[in-house]
């Protein structure tokens, strides 16, 4: 009798264990969610590190030697074209001009007297020509003296913003010494490098769409309020990097941008019928992207994919997947290659709509 009771207890235990095992399997089935790629029109934003330059950025240098007698401006000041900026002590050059002026006046009087005599046939035409040559030479020397005197008065060649001073009041400056720099920030040239493949795509699109419009993400991660356009491309590729330099022009009416800043150029590109999947459905092995594809027998197999672009929470797939492929959405670390699974299929548009996604 005891043996019978023990046998019945053992059977009951085996039955209960089997039920619990089947119950766990049923619970395990709900752990795996599967979806499919979604074909959708969307936009991608590509970013390129850039250097920001003023449309005109020049060095102001002394054209004559002497003591810096006056400074009419201050560092960081906005100056207008023709506004006085520096004056190098002009007394020596003023004296040279006065001397040249006196010599020119003397040569002119001599010429006029000689001409009067020549008109009366008292002197020859050769003497008149010689007097005329002396006068022309004196006028040329006067013009040269005036130019040298003008070099002591340094004025702004265009509207712009002053940089810091390289010299101070009273400094002895030599010919060619740097005084300061001046930047015209009314427009900014922003340079960025583009790979060869993207350059070819751009040239193809530009024939149909015209000049490329771009945005500028500033160093504070805020987008510059005025869009720019790509106006020029350099002639040659860099053989070391395989890139070519683009130049975008941005208006800068508020003078927010300054020469030497950095930022990121943003290029927005529309993609028609892009194949998109959630990023969380992928895994990486040796810097290559993979997904688990579920076949008709519910067996999962890893498959390498190529990513065309990355957006928040999603990837745009260039190759490796088709629309009717089923991919594992969650639980990628809980499964193994060639394992048969039970899953629940989620519609791809429902999956994507629950992600933070910029798509149109």
């Amino acid at each position: 009798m005891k043996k019978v009771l023990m046998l019945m207890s053992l059977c009951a235990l085996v039955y209960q264990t089997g039920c619990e095992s089947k119950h766990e399997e049923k619970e395990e089935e709900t752990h795996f969610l599967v979806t499919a790629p979604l074909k959708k029109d969307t936009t991608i934003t590509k970013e390129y590190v850039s250097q920001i330059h003023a449309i005109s950025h020049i060095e102001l240098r002394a054209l004559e030697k002497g003591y810096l007698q006056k400074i009419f401006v201050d560092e960081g000041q906005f100056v207008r074209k023709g506004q006085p900026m520096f004056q190098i002590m002009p007394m020596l050059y003023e004296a040279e001009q006065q001397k040249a002026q006196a010599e020119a006046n003397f040569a002119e009087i001599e010429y006029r007297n000689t001409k009067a005599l020549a008109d009366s046939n008292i002197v020859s035409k050769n003497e008149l020509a010689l007097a005329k040559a002396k006068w022309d030479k004196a006028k040329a020397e006067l013009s040269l003296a005036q130019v040298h005197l003008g070099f002591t008065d340094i004025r702004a060649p265009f509207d712009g913003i002053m940089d810091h001073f390289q010299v101070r009041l009273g400094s002895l400056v030599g010919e060619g010494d740097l005084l300061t720099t001046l930047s015209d920030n009314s427009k900014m040239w922003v340079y960025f490098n583009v790979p060869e493949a993207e350059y070819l795509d751009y040239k193809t699109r530009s024939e149909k769409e015209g000049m490329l419009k771009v945005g500028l993400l500033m160093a504070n991660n805020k987008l510059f309020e005025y869009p720019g356009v790509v106006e020029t491309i350099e002639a040659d590729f860099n053989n070391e990097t395989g890139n070519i330099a683009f130049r975008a022009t941005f208006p800068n009416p508020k003078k927010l941008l300054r020469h030497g800043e950095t930022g990121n150029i943003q290029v927005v590109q529309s993609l028609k019928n892009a194949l998109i999947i959630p990023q969380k459905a992928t895994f990486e092995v040796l810097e290559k992207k993979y997904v688990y594809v579920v076949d008709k027998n519910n067996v999962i197999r890893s498959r390498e994919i190529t990513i065309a672009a990355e957006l928040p929470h999603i990837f745009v797939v260039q190759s490796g997947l088709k629309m009717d492929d089923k991919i594992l959405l969650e639980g990628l670390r809980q499964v193994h290659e060639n394992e048969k699974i039970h899953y629940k299929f989620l519609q791809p548009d429902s999956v994507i709509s629950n992600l933070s996604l910029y798509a149109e």
Side-chain angles (χ1 to χ4, degrees):
M1 187 65 179
K2 289 183 179 180
K3 291 183 179 180
V4 174
L5 290 175
M6 290 178 64
L7 182 60
M8 291 177 63
S9 299
L10 181 61
C11 290
L13 180 61
V14 171
Y15 178 76
Q16 184 178 357
T17 303
C19 290
E20 290 178 355
S21 178
K22 290 181 179 180
H23 182 63
E24 289 177 1
E25 287 181 3
K26 289 182 180 179
E27 287 185 348
E28 191 72 19
E29 294 173 12
T30 62
H31 290 174
F32 298 103
L33 300 178
V34 169
T35 188
L38 177 65
K39 184 172 286 189
K40 191 171 188 178
D41 293 344
T42 188
T43 59
I44 60 173
T45 301
K46 294 184 177 180
E47 289 194 358
Y48 306 88
V49 176
S50 62
Q51 290 286 336
I52 301 172
H53 294 255
I55 193 171
S56 292
H57 180 76
I58 64 168
E59 296 178 339
L60 290 179
R61 294 182 178 272
L63 296 176
E64 296 291 350
K65 62 181 179 180
Y67 287 100
L68 188 61
Q69 181 172 311
K70 291 182 181 179
I71 299 178
F72 301 101
V73 291
D74 198 2
E75 297 175 332
Q77 179 181 338
F78 178 80
V79 296
R80 294 288 184 182
K81 180 179 179 180
Q83 180 177 340
M85 300 177 70
F86 302 95
Q87 186 178 61
I88 297 173
M89 188 170 60
M91 289 185 295
L92 174 63
Y93 303 100
E94 287 174 348
E96 290 181 351
Q97 182 192 19
Q98 291 171 0
K99 177 184 177 183
Q101 182 69 63
E103 292 177 350
N105 292 340
F106 177 79
E108 181 183 5
I109 293 172
E110 188 176 20
Y111 165 73
R112 295 189 185 280
N113 290 337
T114 304
K115 186 175 185 305
L117 294 174
D119 291 341
S120 300
N121 293 323
I122 298 176
V123 297
S124 66
K125 292 183 178 180
N126 287 339
E127 287 188 42
L128 178 62
L130 181 61
K132 179 66 166 59
K134 288 181 179 179
W135 187 28
D136 290 341
K137 179 183 177 182
K139 289 191 292 184
E141 290 177 348
L142 174 60
S143 296
L144 182 61
Q146 290 172 339
V147 168
H148 282 289
L149 178 60
F151 285 163
T152 65
D153 185 20
I154 300 172
R155 297 174 178 267
F158 51 76
D159 295 353
I161 299 176
M162 291 273 300
D163 199 2
H164 64 274
F165 296 143
Q166 300 292 334
V167 292
R168 292 294 182 267
L169 190 66
S171 301
L172 177 62
V173 296
E175 183 178 344
D177 284 355
L178 178 63
L179 304 177
T180 187
T181 55
L182 184 67
S183 298
D184 179 3
N185 289 4
S186 58
K187 292 183 180 179
M188 305 301 289
W189 283 345
V190 182
Y191 294 86
F192 59 103
N193 294 321
V194 175
E196 183 176 356
E198 295 179 18
Y199 158 79
L200 295 172
D201 291 340
Y202 162 74
K203 292 296 290 183
T204 303
R205 293 196 309 272
S206 63
E207 294 177 358
K208 302 177 181 178
E209 302 174 3
M211 290 191 295
L212 177 65
K213 293 183 178 181
V214 297
L216 175 62
L217 188 66
M218 298 180 292
N220 60 356
N221 287 323
K222 292 184 179 179
L223 191 65
F224 186 56
E225 61 180 307
Y226 300 98
V229 292
V230 175
E231 292 185 337
T232 61
I233 304 173
E234 285 191 1
D236 301 324
F237 277 88
N238 186 320
N239 292 330
E240 295 180 358
T241 63
N243 294 335
I244 192 169
F246 280 42
R247 190 190 79 194
T249 302
F250 286 82
N252 190 31
K254 298 180 181 179
K255 305 296 187 293
L256 177 62
L257 300 180
R258 297 291 181 99
H259 180 85
E261 283 187 83
T262 60
N264 287 340
I265 285 290
Q266 291 188 336
V267 180
V268 179
Q269 181 180 350
S270 299
L271 297 179
K272 297 293 184 181
N273 296 322
L275 204 64
I276 60 178
I277 62 172
Q279 288 189 17
K280 65 179 183 178
T282 67
F283 61 98
E284 189 170 311
V285 178
L286 298 177
E287 298 184 353
K288 294 182 179 180
K289 289 286 191 300
Y290 292 85
V291 294
Y292 280 123
V293 178
V294 183
D295 66 11
K296 60 182 179 180
N297 297 318
N298 298 349
V299 175
I300 61 169
R301 292 184 173 84
S302 60
R303 183 184 298 177
E304 182 183 352
I305 60 173
T306 303
I307 303 301
E310 181 177 348
L311 292 168
H313 307 294
I314 67 168
F315 286 130
V316 178
V317 178
Q318 180 176 337
S319 62
L321 285 177
K322 297 179 294 184
M323 273 198 65
D324 55 354
D325 286 329
K326 296 178 180 179
I327 60 174
L328 188 63
L329 180 62
E330 295 179 349
L332 277 66
R333 296 183 179 181
Q334 301 174 17
V335 296
H336 303 283
E337 185 78 9
N338 298 322
E339 180 181 351
K340 187 172 183 179
I341 64 170
H342 298 278
Y343 64 85
K344 178 182 178 182
F345 183 79
L346 299 179
Q347 293 297 328
D349 54 350
S350 175
V351 173
I352 296 300
S353 65
N354 289 323
L355 300 174
S356 299
L357 169 68
Y358 267 99
E360 297 178 355

